[in-house]
């Protein structure tokens, strides 16, 4: 089964590094708790094009269970702007931390090969 990447973007001004870290650390506990609901990783974004996050989910179903219309409304209220979500299925992963290349989460090539 393919993993799912969701990129969430808000059209907001770039924050300072301090603001970005404070915001991320404030919401990090929420996303840590999603480990049992299929969230593998979240990276917080902060740039000239806005703010947001990159989410790696175990499956599209897990991502869809989180990003409901109610969640989008909550995020819109919190940030004062409606987020844009871009959805991707990811079938092939090159993981340099583990030294693996995976297809649909199955390791095919390791660094030793």
């Amino acid at each position: 089964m393919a993993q799912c990447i969701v990129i969430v973007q808000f059209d907001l001004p770039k924050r300072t590094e301090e603001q970005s870290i404070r915001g991320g650390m404030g919401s990090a506990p929420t996303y840590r708790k999603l480990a049992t609901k299929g969230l593998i990783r979240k990276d917080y974004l902060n740039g000239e094009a806005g703010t947001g996050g990159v989410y790696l989910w175990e499956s599209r179903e897990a991502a869809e269970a989180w990003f409901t219309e109610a969640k989008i409304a909550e995020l819109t209220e919190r940030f004062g702007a409606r987020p844009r979500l871009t959805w991707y299925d990811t079938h092939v992963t090159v993981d340099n931390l583990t030294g693996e290349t995976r297809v649909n989460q199955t390791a095919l090539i390791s660094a030793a090969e």
Side-chain angles (χ1 to χ4, degrees):
M1 176 186 302
Q3 293 177 328
C4 182
I5 293 173
V6 182
I7 300 175
V8 177
Q9 295 173 277
F10 294 91
D11 293 326
L12 296 169
K14 183 176 181 179
R15 298 175 293 173
T16 66
E17 181 177 347
E18 181 181 306
Q19 290 169 324
S20 182
I21 291 170
R22 191 173 345 116
M25 293 303 293
S27 65
T30 297
Y31 297 104
R32 301 256 329 141
K33 292 176 186 172
L34 291 177
T36 60
K37 298 192 182 282
L39 182 64
I40 296 169
R41 173 181 176 150
K42 178 187 179 185
D43 290 303
Y44 290 81
L45 301 176
N46 183 39
E48 299 303 326
T51 187
V54 177
Y55 299 74
L56 175 60
W57 295 89
E58 290 176 357
S59 66
R60 182 172 284 261
E61 293 77 23
E64 288 173 346
W66 175 254
F67 288 113
T68 63
E69 279 305 314
K71 179 56 66 181
I72 300 303
E74 177 186 320
L75 292 170
T76 300
E77 184 174 328
R78 181 171 155 207
F79 286 92
R82 184 170 174 87
R84 288 187 322 278
L85 277 66
T86 308
W87 298 74
Y88 298 94
D89 295 326
T90 178
H91 299 284
V92 178
T93 300
V94 174
D95 187 331
N96 288 326
L97 292 176
T98 64
E100 295 178 331
T101 298
R102 296 186 293 273
V103 173
N104 290 331
Q105 305 179 52
T106 300
L108 299 182
I109 301 169
S110 68
E113 296 178 28

